[in-house]
Structure formats: C-alpha cells, structure tokens
Amino acid sequence: MPPSTTRTPPMGWNSWNAHSCTVTESDVRDAAAALVDTGLRDVGYEYLVVDDCWMAPETDDDGRLVPDPEAFPGGMAALAADVHAAGLRFGLYSSAGTETCQGYPASLGRERLHAEQFAEWGVDYLKYDNCGDHRGRDAVERYAAMGAALRETDREIVYSVCDWGTNDPWSWGRNVGGHLWRTTDDSVAKWRTGADEFGLGIADILDRTAALDIASFHGPYGWNDPDMLQVGNGPDSGQSRHEAVVVDRPLTRAETRTHFAFWCLLAAPLVIGTDLTALDAVDREILANERLIRIDQDPLGFQGTPDRRDATEEIWSKRLADGGGAVALLNRGHDVTEIQTRVADVAVPTVADRYRVVDCWTGEEWETTGELAASVVPRDTAVLRVTPVE
Ligand code: GLA
C-alpha cells in the first residue's frame, strides 16, 4: 500500500529555496520549531525535507552516503528523531545519477544500500532528483530501481520523483512507486523569468501546466508536482543567491495569493520553501488559509483545469467531493476587473437551482442561481467554493 499520507497531496517544508547548499542541522531544527510555532504543522504541513548538499563529498568505503560532518554533526538518525518528536515527518534528498545537482554523491547503482540507510535513519520521504551521470540507463529504469528499493524497506517512505517533467513522469510515476512527480523546471520567486534566467516564474508554470494537459494522471496516491511554494521568498533566499536569476522584485501580495490559490486549485503538493523563522504575518496567513488548504486536500483529488484563458482573464475550476466545485478567477490584466462566469460553464455539477458560494480569501458567503463573479485586482486570484443547496 502507498503511504496513507499520499491519499491527498503531501504538505511540508523543503530546505532548498531557503538555504540552498548551506543547509545545516540547526536550520532544520529551527524549521521544525517554526512549523510548530506558526501553527502551520497543525493545518497540515508535516514533512520536513532536507534537500541537496546534506552529504559529505565522499561516500564511505562501501558506497554509503555520509552526512556532512560539519553541517550535520549529530547525524541523520538523531535529526529524524527530533523531527518526529516535534510531530513532523522527515525527508531527505538524493539523485538518480552518479551525483546530485550540486555534485555530491548520489544513488545510481546503490539504490538498495541507500534505501536501507534512509529506513534505518527514520526517513519518511525521499526527493529523488535527475542529476549526475545516468550511465546510459533511461529514466524509468533509474526511478524504478529506487522505487523498488524503498518498497523493500520496512518503512513507509513517500517517493518524490524529481525529473523536472523531462521524461513525461506522469505517465510512469505511479508504476515506479512514485507518489508525486515534478512536472516543470524549478519554480522561482518571480511572476515570470527571462529567457536566459534559471527556472520558471509562477505565471510561466501556470502556462506550462495548461499546455501540458496532464490532469488525468493526477489523483490520490500520485500527484503532478509543479514545484515548491515561493511564498515568502525574495532576493535574500538561498535559491535567489545561488541560481542565475535576478529576484530584485519578488512576488507582490497579489501574485503571492495567485500562486497559493492556484497550487490549491491544482491539488499540488504544498511544500513551503521559505525561511520560516523570518515569515511575515501576511505570508503566514496565506499559507495557513484553511479554506484553500481544504480545496487542495479535497478527497476527490482532481487537478483544476482551465475553462477560459484570455489576455486579461483566466478561469480554472475543479469538482469537489461535497458535490460542488472550486472556481479560480485570475486577473491577468492591468485594471481591477469583475470577472464573471456561470456554474454551467465551470466544473461544478449543475444539479441544483441554487448554490452557496464562499469566497475562500474573505470567508464571505452568498447564494446564486448560477452567476459567479468576483472583483479582482491585477494579478490576484479569487477562489470561490460553490456548493449546491439541497
Ligand atoms: C534541482 C531540483 C531542485 C533542487 C536542486 C538541488 O534543480 O529541481 O528542486 O533539488 O536540484 O540541487
């Protein structure tokens, strides 16, 4: 059986965007404490994942991974135990190649050995990247080898396939034991990135997601992953300092809300990528919005799909388990606009004469016989939860 936590999209925190290659065990302990103190653990963020650069530059003589003795002096078992004691789950990172993206030892050809290490340490989640030499082996073979090795351990380990969407992982992710698979290049804390910049902005990822048209591969125990949340990140984040991308103007409040609203409408894994010890109150409120988190975690597990996209307005929607649906109204233009649609034109079953509508940002409620509308400022997104009235 897949881990029961993957019945809905996994939620948590990952070290990469905050700390890039300088992550230490005290950063991880601080993140664990902050997840608890901010209340984010209690709204569902439970996995704490250490990304690239946790390992020493050399394996031991048998090819085992060794935690970097300076950054992780206490070792991974002790760190995992502390994370578990905080009521959280612990994740690590490796790559389906000879080296990680930052040039550290990785797991190709040593899948069983490393999976056994992860299980012994108490690892609950593995993010498995696509860097290093592949030794001529194709992606399905490389990812299947680690999937099988993880299954052979006696631990439930969530398997995050990170091939950036390069080899259509949605079509084989479940078959290799994956529970989520990246669909795009790395997200960065910008609305759009330039052609020669690293990664994709939030609007770029929405365009790419619409073009990919892979919602049918997505659902309980197997999730399309448009990459981590950039909420809270700016020029000082680890990723911005590390990668070839200029983040001198990070996401605005409206763009940040659009980012979070769409990740929830897409039922994306919600993996926070910011330094939680410096999270401001507005970003915390966005990340902790329980109306939106419920839409992300809806038991049907549908990925929202576009109903209408034009130069100034975008409408996406998905069905929900309560018989209704969620509708996102994105203003792509430059003026405040009332964006309008109808129940019959979106993914809400047309089974009633009246519907209850809840604005997921404000909590405001009203009833409609079919018209749906919201006033939206530029680059912001309103999300309406629409439920048939019996
Ligand atoms: C790749 C992945 C990122 C991150 C880095 C670490 O770029 O896509 O999410 O894990 O590697 O080096």
Side-chain angles (χ1 to χ4, degrees):
M1 271 299 288
S4 57
T5 53
T6 62
R7 171 73 183 73
T8 56
M11 294 172 66
W13 178 89
N14 173 297
S15 62
W16 182 249
N17 293 337
H19 303 290
S20 68
C21 217
T22 64
V23 63
T24 66
E25 64 179 37
S26 60
D27 293 329
V28 178
R29 289 203 168 85
D30 289 348
L35 270 178
V36 177
D37 294 346
T38 54
L40 290 168
R41 177 195 64 183
D42 294 340
V43 296
Y45 296 91
E46 60 179 333
Y47 286 95
L48 212 149
V49 181
V50 185
D51 207 281
D52 205 344
C53 308
W54 62 264
M55 49 296 258
E58 303 293 337
T59 64
D60 72 10
D61 290 345
D62 298 322
R64 288 192 185 80
L65 294 168
V66 179
D68 184 276
E70 277 172 29
F72 292 87
M76 288 306 174
L79 186 56
D82 285 354
V83 169
H84 292 153
L88 297 162
R89 300 176 199 263
F90 183 63
L92 280 180
Y93 163 102
S94 186
S95 185
T98 50
E99 292 180 351
T100 72
C101 296
Q102 305 306 320
Y104 288 88
S107 300
L108 186 72
R110 301 186 284 220
E111 293 85 358
R112 281 199 177 182
L113 192 62
H114 293 181
E116 279 165 20
Q117 285 190 279
F118 300 147
E120 277 166 24
W121 287 338
V123 167
D124 307 297
Y125 184 116
L126 176 68
K127 173 172 169 180
Y128 204 44
D129 216 329
N130 194 32
C131 281
D133 190 334
H134 298 159
R135 298 266 152 83
R137 294 164 63 186
D138 77 15
V140 178
E141 189 187 338
R142 289 179 292 114
Y143 280 93
M146 183 54 89
L150 293 174
R151 269 198 309 280
E152 280 166 26
T153 70
D154 57 4
R155 269 192 92 75
E156 280 200 339
I157 300 179
V158 173
Y159 185 27
S160 162
V161 169
C162 178
D163 92 323
W164 324 302
T166 310
N167 302 285
D168 299 351
W170 41 88
S171 65
W172 47 263
R174 283 179 201 263
N175 291 346
V176 301
H179 306 111
L180 59 159
W181 40 83
R182 281 273 297 276
T183 54
T184 60
D185 281 341
D186 292 19
S187 64
V188 300
K190 291 182 81 159
W191 186 243
R192 289 196 183 279
T193 53
D196 44 14
E197 280 188 314
F198 173 85
L200 295 177
I202 300 313
D204 301 319
I205 292 182
L206 293 185
D207 289 347
R208 178 91 184 114
T209 301
L212 279 172
D213 192 17
I214 53 173
S216 60
F217 295 95
H218 170 104
Y221 307 108
W223 306 98
N224 291 330
D225 173 11
D227 202 16
M228 295 176 280
L229 294 167
Q230 294 288 349
V231 177
N233 284 340
D236 298 329
S237 75
Q239 184 197 41
S240 307
R241 281 185 274 110
H242 186 85
E243 308 287 12
V245 59
V246 179
V247 187
D248 48 10
R249 195 192 63 79
L251 298 171
T252 63
R253 292 293 182 215
E255 292 164 354
T256 302
R257 281 157 47 108
T258 287
H259 178 19
F260 192 70
F262 266 91
W263 263 235
C264 291
L265 195 86
L266 293 172
L270 297 179
V271 182
I272 298 169
T274 197
D275 178 357
L276 289 172
T277 64
L279 187 68
D280 75 27
V282 180
D283 288 334
R284 186 215 159 266
E285 206 179 311
I286 290 172
L287 291 169
N289 183 313
E290 292 193 72
R291 292 184 205 96
L292 289 172
I293 291 173
R294 267 199 297 282
I295 285 172
D296 181 79
Q297 298 284 305
D298 185 77
L300 285 185
F302 282 127
Q303 177 177 314
T305 51
D307 303 298
R308 171 153 71 81
R309 305 186 83 220
D310 61 38
T312 55
E313 295 182 9
E314 248 180 79
I315 299 176
W316 297 51
S317 60
K318 69 169 178 175
R319 283 181 53 202
L320 298 172
D322 64 5
V327 185
L329 308 166
L330 162 61
N331 182 351
R332 283 224 177 194
H334 301 291
D335 304 306
V336 179
T337 308
E338 178 161 278
I339 303 181
Q340 302 178 352
T341 184
R342 298 184 52 80
V343 167
D345 294 333
V346 295
V348 178
T350 46
V351 292
D353 296 331
R354 301 189 69 75
Y355 297 83
R356 190 163 53 89
V357 182
V358 180
D359 180 320
C360 291
W361 288 119
T362 63
E364 195 190 337
E365 295 192 20
W366 65 94
E367 280 198 4
T368 178
T369 55
E371 302 287 340
L372 298 170
S375 174
V376 187
V377 304
R379 294 195 176 168
D380 201 352
T381 295
V383 180
L384 305 180
R385 182 172 187 128
V386 185
T387 317
V389 176
E390 299 291 326

